[in-house]
Amino acid sequence: MRGEILGLERRRFWRDEDKLEIVMSVGIDGATVTQVAQRHEVTRQQIYAWRHDLKKKGLWSPDAGALFFPLNMPVAAGMPVAQAPVAEARPPVAVELRLRGGRSLHFESTIDPAALSVLIRAVDAA
């Protein structure tokens, strides 16, 4: 039986700093894991493995880039009161709210506070 060598084996060494940069680029400007993997010529599975390894080493946390904003909702008799709209219109921002029991809500920052309160209560009660 004869074998034929088609080319050199392609193995690259990735430093933790490089892995972290690649893992953190997921989600920036809407980049998906697939897009980031293609850009860096690695597989999607490799990025997921790097996430796991970096998290185990304490170098990456999924909440590392999270921003938390105070939610000023005055409460009158247990029900939130809608505030007057702000003069300057800000572009909507995606918000993730983590609830008890590992539940989370994803919504835009322009959601009505009263509707958000009702939604939180409904999800929390489910």
Side-chain angles (χ1 to χ4, degrees):
M1 177 167 200
R2 290 179 33 178
E4 188 175 333
I5 298 175
L6 300 175
L8 294 176
E9 181 180 3
R10 182 175 167 203
R11 284 197 177 231
R12 294 182 281 182
F13 175 77
W14 295 92
R15 298 176 307 151
D16 284 343
E17 295 82 21
D18 298 330
K19 293 177 187 178
L20 185 60
E21 184 179 331
I22 292 171
V23 167
M24 291 182 71
S25 66
V26 174
I28 295 178
D29 295 329
T32 64
V33 173
T34 301
Q35 292 168 336
V36 171
Q38 289 171 348
R39 186 180 318 137
H40 295 283
E41 298 179 352
V42 296
T43 64
R44 291 175 36 236
Q45 292 80 3
Q46 188 65 59
I47 291 179
Y48 290 122
W50 287 346
R51 275 185 182 175
H52 180 75
D53 291 341
L54 292 170
K55 190 175 180 181
K56 236 184 347 185
K57 291 179 181 179
L59 298 174
W60 180 75
S61 169
D63 299 329
L67 297 175
F68 295 95
F69 296 101
L71 186 59
N72 297 324
M73 292 176 30
V75 178
M79 291 301 293
V81 178
Q83 296 178 350
V86 180
E88 64 181 61
R90 296 180 185 165
V93 177
V95 178
E96 177 183 6
L97 179 63
R98 295 190 181 180
L99 302 172
R100 286 178 275 169
R103 296 180 175 139
S104 64
L105 288 173
H106 298 267
F107 53 91
E108 287 190 353
S109 60
T110 56
I111 191 170
D112 177 53
L116 177 60
S117 179
V118 170
L119 184 61
I120 291 171
R121 285 189 182 102
V123 171
D124 204 29

